[in-house]
Amino acid sequence: VVFFFFKQKTAYEMQRGLVGSEMCIRDRYYMPSEVALHNTANDCWVSMFDHVHDLTLLIQTNYGIYTEPLVQAAGTDISHWFDPKTKEPKSFVNPETNIKEFFAPNGPYLQIPLSGPNSSFNNDFETPWWKQEGLR
């Protein structure tokens, strides 16, 4: 039997009343079975490259068609969606259109551009969710 553990950064107060830089960051470890319990839009965790990401607030504040693929993947590992070296979404050139597309097994998800030219892509974000430390 092989066990995998995923890591999530958590902040906790060492003493009552400590804030900001006085708080301590520590690692928490989760088994895949624990991540699997968080599998709804109202409680959505995914694991990615040995880290757990809590996407619940992201999904609730951006709920729509592009969060559905994330909800479908809730409670699972989505490392295969991303390049292991760059940690960016996997992409490929569509041989029929010769246009770069992103690997999205459940459909296009939040903060990746749709394939082809598209003026409706909302790039009004500084850091994509998969790079945000606060979600780990």
Side-chain angles (χ1 to χ4, degrees):
V1 176
V2 176
F3 291 99
F4 294 95
F5 293 91
F6 302 113
K7 185 168 41 172
Q8 181 183 45
K9 297 282 187 189
T10 58
Y12 66 97
E13 295 183 23
M14 296 297 290
Q15 296 176 7
R16 215 176 241 292
L18 297 181
V19 294
S21 63
E22 297 171 322
M23 293 180 77
C24 179
I25 302 291
R26 67 181 176 107
D27 289 337
R28 287 200 57 193
Y29 294 89
Y30 297 93
M31 292 183 57
S33 59
E34 293 173 287
V35 175
L37 298 174
H38 304 272
N39 59 7
T40 68
N42 294 319
D43 183 17
C44 180
W45 289 12
V46 295
S47 61
M48 206 172 97
F49 301 113
D50 301 325
H51 287 90
V52 174
H53 297 259
D54 183 349
L55 304 182
T56 306
L57 184 59
L58 178 79
I59 288 170
Q60 291 174 350
T61 57
N62 296 282
Y63 196 77
I65 192 168
Y66 298 114
T67 57
E68 279 303 311
L70 299 173
V71 173
Q72 290 173 12
T76 68
D77 183 77
I78 60 170
S79 298
H80 63 285
W81 293 11
F82 297 86
D83 182 278
K85 289 183 182 176
T86 65
K87 308 292 193 267
E88 293 292 330
K90 286 183 180 175
S91 63
F92 62 96
V93 175
N94 183 321
E96 293 179 13
T97 62
N98 229 14
I99 295 175
K100 178 182 176 178
E101 296 184 14
F102 289 91
F103 176 70
N106 295 350
Y109 54 89
L110 193 63
Q111 299 178 343
I112 64 165
L114 301 172
S115 60
N118 191 323
S119 62
S120 66
F121 175 64
N122 180 5
N123 62 353
D124 188 24
F125 55 89
E126 291 181 29
T127 306
W129 63 264
W130 55 89
K131 289 186 172 183
Q132 291 179 19
E133 286 290 323
L135 297 178
R136 285 198 225 180

